[in-house]
Amino acid sequence: MTLTKWRSLSVLCVLTLAVSLIVNACSLAPQQLAPMRVGITSWAGFDIVLYAQEAGLFKQRGLDVQLIRFENQQDSTRAMLRGTLDATFVSLWDVVQSDSRSDKPAVLMVTNISHGADGIVAQPAIKSVANLRGKRVGAKLGTVNHLILLETLKLHQIKPEEVKIEDISNETAVDLMQQGRLDAAVIWQPLLGETAQAIKGNIIFTTQEVDSLVIDTLVSRSALTPTKKAELKQFIIAWFDIMSAVETKPNVVFQKVAQNLGQKDEAFAKDYAGLKKGDIAMQKQMFKSGRLSEAIAQMAELLKSDPRAGRMPRQDVEINTEIVTTAINEWKL
């Protein structure tokens, strides 16, 4: 082979290798997807997603995510079902009660399950759930607090009508408990412990005592999931990045989230400690074992057992296993 031919062949090989490297690099780069609008309310199990923004995890997964704050989950669910949002963080209990005239809700992922973060505080004279018969209990009807009360009463074989429910907010319930004008109240941490200490009362129940139905989720609408599948899958993969970081470097995660919220690191860490986190193991347990379907059926029964909320459970909630399963199979750090 002549020197000229050898040089030409070498140049061709180098060019081929360069093209191959460029193609491979492009294939490894995160795909830029359509922007996403995701609803969120203040709750440790949802606020943990702020770490993805602070640490650039959404960007690494090719996502452009805008988190839209709502005062309550009913409003965020309504906005999602009417097309204002692509998805929203919401309790399964609120999904089951959402407006049935809208598109079907599709449950995509479990973010957390309450495990001690919620409970019932009672006045000093009330020592147990059994003592609640005939008493006034603060719990906003139709909300997660109502659900917690109903699952507590069922656990202790007390009929809902045996308890007088005061349809009031968390903050109002705390005020009335401190004034001695309410026998008990369903509230969440840190108010639960703080109220018990302030009134020298008793925490007579927490969600740590049961396989709680206080299940929080990421939900979209059935009509959107086929067209937004890639974005939703990448969002769930980014969520798994967060869960991995919570496992391996929790102090860093809690610090970044707390700073974003204007809280102390220890306060947020304590709030989050009352939850079972929505990692890959949780998704497998909830989606593959049929637990989500079972939970929805149990919620429907509880809602029917106490008509004071004036709502009927939806019969068409979709459990979308495809997207989360794909995300589990594709996730890697």
Side-chain angles (χ1 to χ4, degrees), residues 17-314:
L17 178 61
V19 170
S20 176
L21 289 173
I22 291 170
V23 170
N24 287 333
C26 290
S27 66
L28 291 173
Q31 179 185 359
Q32 289 303 312
L33 303 168
M36 289 184 68
R37 288 170 56 86
V38 179
I40 185 171
T41 51
S42 296
W43 175 241
F46 300 154
D47 285 327
I48 199 75
V49 77
L50 297 173
Y51 179 72
Q53 286 187 323
E54 297 294 325
L57 300 181
F58 286 142
K59 186 176 181 180
Q60 290 173 25
R61 296 299 182 179
L63 291 168
D64 176 9
V65 177
Q66 184 180 6
L67 296 172
I68 312 297
R69 284 279 172 183
F70 286 81
E71 288 296 321
N72 61 71
Q73 296 180 30
Q74 293 88 349
D75 287 345
S76 67
T77 304
R78 192 176 299 112
M80 178 273 296
L81 288 171
R82 293 179 179 177
T84 306
L85 303 172
D86 297 305
T88 190
F89 289 107
V90 62
S91 73
L92 190 58
W93 177 246
D94 283 295
V95 175
V96 168
Q97 298 178 78
S98 59
D99 186 357
S100 60
R101 294 171 295 178
S102 306
D103 188 12
K104 289 195 304 182
V107 181
L108 304 177
M109 179 182 74
V110 172
T111 62
N112 64 271
I113 297 176
S114 181
H115 190 64
D118 305 89
I120 301 176
V121 61
Q123 296 292 351
I126 298 175
K127 307 296 184 183
S128 69
V129 174
N131 298 142
L132 289 181
R133 286 185 174 90
K135 298 297 192 295
R136 297 168 63 239
V137 182
K140 188 70 177 173
L141 291 173
T143 66
V144 169
N145 285 7
H146 187 202
L147 167 63
I148 293 165
L149 178 59
L150 291 178
E151 69 175 346
T152 305
L153 297 177
K154 182 178 180 180
L155 178 67
H156 291 268
Q157 300 180 335
I158 299 173
K159 295 179 180 179
E161 58 267 26
E162 294 183 80
V163 172
K164 300 174 184 177
I165 297 179
E166 296 294 329
D167 186 17
I168 54 178
S169 69
N170 232 37
E171 293 74 17
T172 301
V174 169
D175 289 340
L176 293 179
M177 287 295 292
Q178 292 177 344
Q179 296 170 28
R181 295 168 56 192
L182 201 61
D183 298 306
V186 184
I187 50 181
W188 54 76
Q189 295 288 16
L191 285 175
L192 181 66
E194 292 172 356
T195 304
Q197 186 175 9
I199 66 172
K200 295 182 172 55
N202 306 300
I203 296 176
I204 58 174
F205 172 83
T206 76
T207 48
Q208 193 170 8
E209 299 174 35
V210 292
D211 183 10
S212 181
L213 292 175
V214 184
I215 301 167
D216 293 320
T217 61
L218 178 73
V219 178
S220 185
R221 55 190 182 280
S222 185
L224 180 70
T225 52
T227 58
K228 209 83 172 180
K229 189 180 296 185
E231 288 81 2
L232 293 169
K233 180 199 70 176
Q234 290 300 106
F235 188 92
I236 295 174
I237 287 175
W239 177 267
F240 293 158
D241 293 339
I242 300 168
M243 294 296 99
S244 176
V246 170
E247 186 69 29
T248 58
K249 48 183 178 182
N251 293 338
V252 174
V253 176
F254 298 149
Q255 181 185 39
K256 286 185 176 294
V257 174
Q259 284 177 345
N260 186 290
L261 295 171
Q263 297 179 2
K264 292 183 178 179
D265 306 0
E266 317 85 69
F268 183 82
K270 187 175 180 179
D271 291 347
Y272 195 78
L275 306 173
K276 293 180 181 178
K277 66 179 182 295
D279 55 13
I280 288 177
M282 172 71 75
Q283 310 310 321
K284 291 179 178 179
Q285 174 193 350
M286 300 302 290
F287 283 86
K288 294 187 177 181
S289 70
R291 175 56 181 152
L292 274 178
S293 299
E294 181 184 87
I296 289 172
Q298 291 173 338
M299 289 178 187
E301 287 181 14
L302 289 177
L303 197 57
K304 291 175 183 177
S305 74
D306 189 9
R308 283 175 284 191
R311 300 180 186 178
M312 292 299 294
R314 292 188 72 131

